[in-house]
Every structure is written in C-alpha cells, then in structure tokens.
Amino acid sequence: MGEWHDFFLAAAGAAAVLAGLVFVGVSINLEMIMSDPSYGLAGRALEALVLLVAVLIVTLLLLVPSQGMVLAGAEVLAVGVLDWAVVVTIQLLVLRNWRSLEPAFRRHLVPRVVLCQVATLPIVAAGVGMLGWGEGGLYWLVVGVVLSILVAVLDAWVLLVEIHR
C-alpha cells in the first residue's frame, strides 16, 4: 500500500482542516442552528463532522505501517459501517419530525439522505473489497473520500450561508 501513502496523507490533512472549519462555522451560527431543533440543522452539522472524521480516521489507520491487507480491510469496513450507521441515525431522527417540517425543508431532505448514502457506502464497499480483492478495493475508498468531503462541504455551506436566506 506504499503507493497510496500520499493519497492517505492528503485526505487525512484535508479532512482534519475541513472538520476544523466546520467547527468554526457552527460556532459562528450556533444560535441559529440550535434555535429550531425540528429542522435538524444540528444534525446536519454533526453529519458533516461525522463524514469528515470518518475520512480522517480511515486514512490515518491506513497510514499505519506493516499491517496486512486483512487488518486494513477490517479497519476500513469497521469505520465505513460506523460512519454509515451514525449518518443514518441522524437522518432518522430528522425523519421522525417529518410532519412538523416545512415543505421547503422536506424537499431538501431527500437529496441530503441520498448524498449521504452515496458518500458513505463506498467506504463500506472499500472495506469489503479490500477483504476480498486486496488493494483493488482501495479505489472504492477514493470514491468514498471524495464524496464524503464534497457532501460535508455542502452541509457546511448550508450551515454558513443558506441558513441566512
């Protein structure tokens, strides 16, 4: 996995920096984010952090030297499943309040759920792929890392900019 070292290092650095920026953005708009819990904006902030922290953890684990493919695959699979489960739980809590949500918010919830599934499931696939096919499974991780970062940045945009519209 030596050829992947630079990718893991870059992804870990990017995820750490972006997670820090999400924390700053949330602290700037904390009152607005917490003002109406039924909209799930706090959940959206947590969702962005979970996506970024999952990328950070999985890439840091893969930077550990001299681990076999089975161990690395198990680590990726475990982080991917946990990432997916936490994001789904956050979204189910928002869905629990479906009837109290404004129509505009409902309209944005479906794409949000789809995007999070598209971002988290490739990490799970990467873990399975690494266990079954070895290093070739890492290409799924690239998809998951890129999509997780994009979805987290979209969530951050909503929390920083769209929240004021």
Side-chain angles (χ1 to χ4, degrees), residues 23-162:
F23 268 112
V24 169
V26 168
S27 66
I28 289 170
N29 289 322
L30 187 59
E31 190 173 319
M32 288 183 88
I33 291 169
M34 300 305 291
S35 67
D36 191 353
S38 67
Y39 283 113
L41 291 174
R44 192 158 196 165
L46 181 58
E47 185 180 281
L49 289 171
V50 166
L51 290 171
L52 292 170
V53 169
V55 169
L56 176 63
I57 290 171
V58 79
T59 53
L60 286 175
L61 288 172
L62 291 173
L63 285 168
V64 174
S66 301
Q67 58 182 330
M69 191 58 60
V70 172
L71 177 59
E75 292 169 347
V76 172
L77 181 59
V79 172
V81 168
L82 185 61
D83 180 28
W84 176 82
V86 171
V87 168
V88 166
T89 302
I90 292 166
Q91 293 171 346
L92 286 174
L93 290 172
V94 174
L95 286 172
R96 198 173 63 185
N97 298 322
W98 181 259
R99 292 181 186 207
S100 66
L101 298 175
E102 291 182 19
F105 186 77
R106 287 183 192 177
R107 188 173 54 245
H108 296 304
L109 187 59
V110 173
R112 174 180 154 194
V113 169
V114 170
L115 285 173
C116 283
Q117 295 300 306
V118 168
T120 56
L121 289 176
I123 298 173
V124 174
V128 171
M130 290 171 69
L131 290 171
W133 309 298
E135 233 176 272
L138 287 172
Y139 289 100
W140 278 108
L141 185 63
V142 174
V143 174
V145 164
V146 170
L147 291 174
S148 290
I149 288 172
L150 288 174
V151 171
V153 167
L154 177 64
D155 283 343
W157 176 263
V158 169
L159 294 165
L160 287 168
V161 177
E162 296 297 325

